[in-house]
mmCIF file of all heavy atoms in Angstrom:
data_model
loop_
_atom_site.group_PDB
_atom_site.id
_atom_site.type_symbol
_atom_site.label_atom_id
_atom_site.label_comp_id
_atom_site.label_asym_id
_atom_site.label_seq_id
_atom_site.Cartn_x
_atom_site.Cartn_y
_atom_site.Cartn_z
ATOM 1 N N CYS A 186 6.570 -8.198 -27.332
ATOM 2 C CA CYS A 186 5.134 -8.442 -27.287
ATOM 3 C C CYS A 186 4.759 -9.386 -26.120
ATOM 4 O O CYS A 186 3.889 -9.011 -25.293
ATOM 5 C CB CYS A 186 4.661 -9.136 -28.584
ATOM 6 S SG CYS A 186 2.948 -9.531 -28.586
ATOM 7 N N TYR A 187 5.502 -10.511 -25.974
ATOM 8 C CA TYR A 187 5.180 -11.379 -24.871
ATOM 9 C C TYR A 187 5.496 -10.769 -23.492
ATOM 10 O O TYR A 187 4.744 -10.923 -22.587
ATOM 11 C CB TYR A 187 5.940 -12.709 -25.043
ATOM 12 C CG TYR A 187 5.523 -13.547 -26.224
ATOM 13 C CD1 TYR A 187 6.380 -13.932 -27.141
ATOM 14 C CD2 TYR A 187 4.131 -13.953 -26.278
ATOM 15 C CE1 TYR A 187 5.960 -14.690 -28.308
ATOM 16 C CE2 TYR A 187 3.748 -14.695 -27.352
ATOM 17 C CZ TYR A 187 4.683 -15.072 -28.409
ATOM 18 O OH TYR A 187 4.188 -15.872 -29.369
ATOM 19 N N ARG A 188 6.602 -9.982 -23.477
ATOM 20 C CA ARG A 188 7.006 -9.375 -22.290
ATOM 21 C C ARG A 188 5.994 -8.377 -21.729
ATOM 22 O O ARG A 188 5.673 -8.396 -20.601
ATOM 23 C CB ARG A 188 8.316 -8.691 -22.465
ATOM 24 C CG ARG A 188 8.885 -8.078 -21.156
ATOM 25 C CD ARG A 188 10.195 -7.353 -21.444
ATOM 26 N NE ARG A 188 10.547 -6.519 -20.301
ATOM 27 C CZ ARG A 188 11.546 -5.620 -20.318
ATOM 28 N NH1 ARG A 188 12.270 -5.504 -21.359
ATOM 29 N NH2 ARG A 188 11.769 -4.883 -19.267
ATOM 30 N N GLU A 189 5.399 -7.602 -22.704
ATOM 31 C CA GLU A 189 4.325 -6.669 -22.357
ATOM 32 C C GLU A 189 3.110 -7.357 -21.764
ATOM 33 O O GLU A 189 2.463 -6.965 -20.818
ATOM 34 C CB GLU A 189 3.966 -5.760 -23.582
ATOM 35 C CG GLU A 189 4.974 -4.766 -23.929
ATOM 36 C CD GLU A 189 4.647 -3.991 -25.186
ATOM 37 O OE1 GLU A 189 3.564 -4.085 -25.687
ATOM 38 O OE2 GLU A 189 5.572 -3.358 -25.723
ATOM 39 N N ASN A 190 2.718 -8.467 -22.474
ATOM 40 C CA ASN A 190 1.544 -9.174 -21.986
ATOM 41 C C ASN A 190 1.744 -9.875 -20.649
ATOM 42 O O ASN A 190 0.926 -9.915 -19.809
ATOM 43 C CB ASN A 190 1.177 -10.306 -23.033
ATOM 44 C CG ASN A 190 0.518 -9.768 -24.267
ATOM 45 O OD1 ASN A 190 -0.084 -8.707 -24.161
ATOM 46 N ND2 ASN A 190 0.586 -10.509 -25.369
ATOM 47 N N ILE A 191 2.966 -10.344 -20.428
ATOM 48 C CA ILE A 191 3.311 -11.016 -19.155
ATOM 49 C C ILE A 191 3.284 -9.919 -18.036
ATOM 50 O O ILE A 191 2.749 -10.150 -16.918
ATOM 51 C CB ILE A 191 4.729 -11.635 -19.224
ATOM 52 C CG1 ILE A 191 4.624 -12.899 -20.149
ATOM 53 C CG2 ILE A 191 5.161 -12.139 -17.847
ATOM 54 C CD1 ILE A 191 6.054 -13.464 -20.471
ATOM 55 N N LEU A 192 3.876 -8.765 -18.344
ATOM 56 C CA LEU A 192 3.854 -7.702 -17.387
ATOM 57 C C LEU A 192 2.451 -7.205 -16.959
ATOM 58 O O LEU A 192 2.149 -7.093 -15.796
ATOM 59 C CB LEU A 192 4.708 -6.497 -17.919
ATOM 60 C CG LEU A 192 4.849 -5.252 -17.037
ATOM 61 C CD1 LEU A 192 5.625 -5.602 -15.763
ATOM 62 C CD2 LEU A 192 5.531 -4.106 -17.768
ATOM 63 N N LYS A 193 1.668 -7.010 -18.055
ATOM 64 C CA LYS A 193 0.283 -6.618 -17.808
ATOM 65 C C LYS A 193 -0.511 -7.605 -16.951
ATOM 66 O O LYS A 193 -1.283 -7.262 -16.009
ATOM 67 C CB LYS A 193 -0.426 -6.404 -19.125
ATOM 68 C CG LYS A 193 -1.845 -5.812 -19.052
ATOM 69 C CD LYS A 193 -2.379 -5.497 -20.446
ATOM 70 C CE LYS A 193 -2.692 -6.782 -21.199
ATOM 71 N NZ LYS A 193 -3.334 -6.554 -22.443
ATOM 72 N N THR A 194 -0.386 -8.912 -17.332
ATOM 73 C CA THR A 194 -1.130 -9.945 -16.570
ATOM 74 C C THR A 194 -0.629 -10.182 -15.213
ATOM 75 O O THR A 194 -1.397 -10.434 -14.255
ATOM 76 C CB THR A 194 -1.055 -11.246 -17.362
ATOM 77 O OG1 THR A 194 -1.259 -11.018 -18.813
ATOM 78 C CG2 THR A 194 -2.101 -12.237 -16.859
ATOM 79 N N ALA A 195 0.718 -9.979 -15.063
ATOM 80 C CA ALA A 195 1.301 -10.158 -13.643
ATOM 81 C C ALA A 195 0.770 -9.014 -12.736
ATOM 82 O O ALA A 195 0.549 -9.228 -11.565
ATOM 83 C CB ALA A 195 2.775 -10.064 -13.783
ATOM 84 N N LYS A 196 0.661 -7.770 -13.322
ATOM 85 C CA LYS A 196 0.162 -6.664 -12.529
ATOM 86 C C LYS A 196 -1.325 -6.983 -12.038
ATOM 87 O O LYS A 196 -1.692 -6.672 -10.916
ATOM 88 C CB LYS A 196 0.142 -5.390 -13.388
ATOM 89 C CG LYS A 196 1.521 -4.761 -13.422
ATOM 90 C CD LYS A 196 1.462 -3.422 -14.170
ATOM 91 C CE LYS A 196 2.881 -2.735 -14.139
ATOM 92 N NZ LYS A 196 2.835 -1.545 -14.994
ATOM 93 N N ALA A 197 -2.003 -7.535 -12.988
ATOM 94 C CA ALA A 197 -3.460 -7.932 -12.643
ATOM 95 C C ALA A 197 -3.467 -8.930 -11.517
ATOM 96 O O ALA A 197 -4.316 -8.970 -10.689
ATOM 97 C CB ALA A 197 -4.185 -8.476 -13.937
ATOM 98 N N LEU A 198 -2.450 -9.922 -11.530
ATOM 99 C CA LEU A 198 -2.487 -10.903 -10.506
ATOM 100 C C LEU A 198 -2.060 -10.331 -9.183
ATOM 101 O O LEU A 198 -2.631 -10.794 -8.162
ATOM 102 C CB LEU A 198 -1.392 -11.954 -10.978
ATOM 103 C CG LEU A 198 -1.381 -13.252 -10.056
ATOM 104 C CD1 LEU A 198 -2.788 -13.976 -10.059
ATOM 105 C CD2 LEU A 198 -0.373 -14.210 -10.556
ATOM 106 N N VAL A 199 -1.255 -9.309 -9.143
ATOM 107 C CA VAL A 199 -0.919 -8.621 -7.866
ATOM 108 C C VAL A 199 -2.163 -7.985 -7.281
ATOM 109 O O VAL A 199 -2.405 -7.972 -6.054
ATOM 110 C CB VAL A 199 0.234 -7.618 -8.065
ATOM 111 C CG1 VAL A 199 0.390 -6.778 -6.848
ATOM 112 C CG2 VAL A 199 1.531 -8.310 -8.435
ATOM 113 N N GLU A 200 -2.952 -7.350 -8.204
ATOM 114 C CA GLU A 200 -4.293 -6.747 -7.773
ATOM 115 C C GLU A 200 -5.187 -7.842 -7.172
ATOM 116 O O GLU A 200 -5.826 -7.602 -6.197
ATOM 117 C CB GLU A 200 -4.926 -5.990 -8.926
ATOM 118 C CG GLU A 200 -4.209 -4.745 -9.353
ATOM 119 C CD GLU A 200 -3.889 -3.806 -8.242
ATOM 120 O OE1 GLU A 200 -4.845 -3.519 -7.472
ATOM 121 O OE2 GLU A 200 -2.776 -3.326 -8.084
ATOM 122 N N ASP A 201 -5.197 -8.961 -7.848
ATOM 123 C CA ASP A 201 -6.021 -10.128 -7.284
ATOM 124 C C ASP A 201 -5.527 -10.561 -5.949
ATOM 125 O O ASP A 201 -6.255 -10.971 -5.115
ATOM 126 C CB ASP A 201 -5.920 -11.316 -8.314
ATOM 127 C CG ASP A 201 -6.768 -11.065 -9.562
ATOM 128 O OD1 ASP A 201 -7.699 -10.322 -9.521
ATOM 129 O OD2 ASP A 201 -6.404 -11.694 -10.585
ATOM 130 N N THR A 202 -4.153 -10.573 -5.734
ATOM 131 C CA THR A 202 -3.591 -10.866 -4.515
ATOM 132 C C THR A 202 -4.185 -9.949 -3.375
ATOM 133 O O THR A 202 -4.506 -10.442 -2.250
ATOM 134 C CB THR A 202 -2.077 -10.857 -4.531
ATOM 135 O OG1 THR A 202 -1.649 -11.790 -5.525
ATOM 136 C CG2 THR A 202 -1.444 -11.206 -3.208
ATOM 137 N N LYS A 203 -4.139 -8.674 -3.688
ATOM 138 C CA LYS A 203 -4.650 -7.741 -2.692
ATOM 139 C C LYS A 203 -6.100 -7.939 -2.305
ATOM 140 O O LYS A 203 -6.516 -7.830 -1.180
ATOM 141 C CB LYS A 203 -4.522 -6.239 -3.257
ATOM 142 C CG LYS A 203 -3.026 -5.821 -3.393
ATOM 143 C CD LYS A 203 -3.004 -4.437 -4.000
ATOM 144 C CE LYS A 203 -1.579 -3.954 -4.365
ATOM 145 N NZ LYS A 203 -1.492 -2.677 -5.064
ATOM 146 N N LEU A 204 -6.876 -8.290 -3.366
ATOM 147 C CA LEU A 204 -8.325 -8.582 -3.168
ATOM 148 C C LEU A 204 -8.521 -9.833 -2.365
ATOM 149 O O LEU A 204 -9.405 -9.880 -1.441
ATOM 150 C CB LEU A 204 -8.993 -8.762 -4.550
ATOM 151 C CG LEU A 204 -9.241 -7.453 -5.355
ATOM 152 C CD1 LEU A 204 -9.846 -7.752 -6.692
ATOM 153 C CD2 LEU A 204 -10.211 -6.505 -4.602
ATOM 154 N N LEU A 205 -7.688 -10.842 -2.551
ATOM 155 C CA LEU A 205 -7.728 -12.050 -1.750
ATOM 156 C C LEU A 205 -7.434 -11.791 -0.256
ATOM 157 O O LEU A 205 -8.212 -12.208 0.624
ATOM 158 C CB LEU A 205 -6.719 -13.122 -2.251
ATOM 159 C CG LEU A 205 -7.161 -14.041 -3.365
ATOM 160 C CD1 LEU A 205 -5.940 -14.849 -3.939
ATOM 161 C CD2 LEU A 205 -8.219 -14.948 -2.878
ATOM 162 N N VAL A 206 -6.444 -10.976 0.014
ATOM 163 C CA VAL A 206 -6.046 -10.707 1.368
ATOM 164 C C VAL A 206 -7.115 -9.906 2.064
ATOM 165 O O VAL A 206 -7.534 -10.160 3.169
ATOM 166 C CB VAL A 206 -4.711 -9.901 1.469
ATOM 167 C CG1 VAL A 206 -4.411 -9.503 2.840
ATOM 168 C CG2 VAL A 206 -3.603 -10.785 0.864
ATOM 169 N N SER A 207 -7.670 -8.865 1.358
ATOM 170 C CA SER A 207 -8.759 -8.066 1.958
ATOM 171 C C SER A 207 -10.073 -8.852 2.045
ATOM 172 O O SER A 207 -10.869 -8.616 2.917
ATOM 173 C CB SER A 207 -8.955 -6.787 1.109
ATOM 174 O OG SER A 207 -9.391 -7.089 -0.150
ATOM 175 N N GLY A 208 -10.224 -9.876 1.121
ATOM 176 C CA GLY A 208 -11.411 -10.672 1.126
ATOM 177 C C GLY A 208 -11.624 -11.564 2.302
ATOM 178 O O GLY A 208 -12.649 -11.934 2.726
ATOM 179 N N ALA A 209 -10.464 -11.818 3.048
ATOM 180 C CA ALA A 209 -10.541 -12.684 4.202
ATOM 181 C C ALA A 209 -11.379 -11.952 5.277
ATOM 182 O O ALA A 209 -11.960 -12.681 6.186
ATOM 183 C CB ALA A 209 -9.149 -12.957 4.714
ATOM 184 N N ALA A 210 -11.415 -10.645 5.229
ATOM 185 C CA ALA A 210 -12.108 -9.922 6.296
ATOM 186 C C ALA A 210 -13.540 -9.510 5.827
ATOM 187 O O ALA A 210 -14.217 -8.888 6.528
ATOM 188 C CB ALA A 210 -11.325 -8.712 6.682
ATOM 189 N N SER A 211 -13.897 -9.801 4.571
ATOM 190 C CA SER A 211 -15.174 -9.438 4.066
ATOM 191 C C SER A 211 -16.064 -10.673 3.862
ATOM 192 O O SER A 211 -15.883 -11.690 4.439
ATOM 193 C CB SER A 211 -14.985 -8.669 2.768
ATOM 194 O OG SER A 211 -14.346 -9.396 1.800
ATOM 195 N N SER A 212 -17.064 -10.547 3.038
ATOM 196 C CA SER A 212 -18.083 -11.618 2.858
ATOM 197 C C SER A 212 -17.508 -12.797 2.008
ATOM 198 O O SER A 212 -16.515 -12.663 1.327
ATOM 199 C CB SER A 212 -19.297 -11.011 2.113
ATOM 200 O OG SER A 212 -18.930 -10.686 0.787
ATOM 201 N N GLN A 213 -18.242 -13.920 2.159
ATOM 202 C CA GLN A 213 -17.839 -15.138 1.439
ATOM 203 C C GLN A 213 -17.954 -14.926 -0.040
ATOM 204 O O GLN A 213 -17.120 -15.487 -0.869
ATOM 205 C CB GLN A 213 -18.697 -16.288 1.885
ATOM 206 C CG GLN A 213 -18.471 -16.854 3.304
ATOM 207 C CD GLN A 213 -17.115 -17.542 3.396
ATOM 208 O OE1 GLN A 213 -16.724 -18.354 2.559
ATOM 209 N NE2 GLN A 213 -16.367 -17.245 4.427
ATOM 210 N N ASP A 214 -18.952 -14.114 -0.447
ATOM 211 C CA ASP A 214 -19.170 -13.816 -1.873
ATOM 212 C C ASP A 214 -17.927 -13.088 -2.506
ATOM 213 O O ASP A 214 -17.461 -13.441 -3.539
ATOM 214 C CB ASP A 214 -20.437 -13.022 -2.114
ATOM 215 C CG ASP A 214 -21.672 -13.879 -1.967
ATOM 216 O OD1 ASP A 214 -21.576 -15.091 -1.969
ATOM 217 O OD2 ASP A 214 -22.764 -13.258 -1.908
#
């Protein structure tokens, strides 16, 4: 149960990482 939740949340964090990197070239918002 914990492993599945950790895996799912970690994947979401990787997506957030991509958005952060691309966000550097976009708007402040």
Side-chain angles (χ1 to χ4, degrees):
C186 175
Y187 292 123
R188 184 181 167 188
E189 286 174 13
N190 282 338
I191 291 168
L192 182 62
K193 184 175 71 175
T194 316
K196 281 183 178 176
L198 190 58
V199 171
E200 291 306 311
D201 286 335
T202 299
K203 292 176 185 174
L204 287 173
L205 272 171
V206 175
S207 62
S211 57
S212 68
Q213 289 290 317
D214 284 347

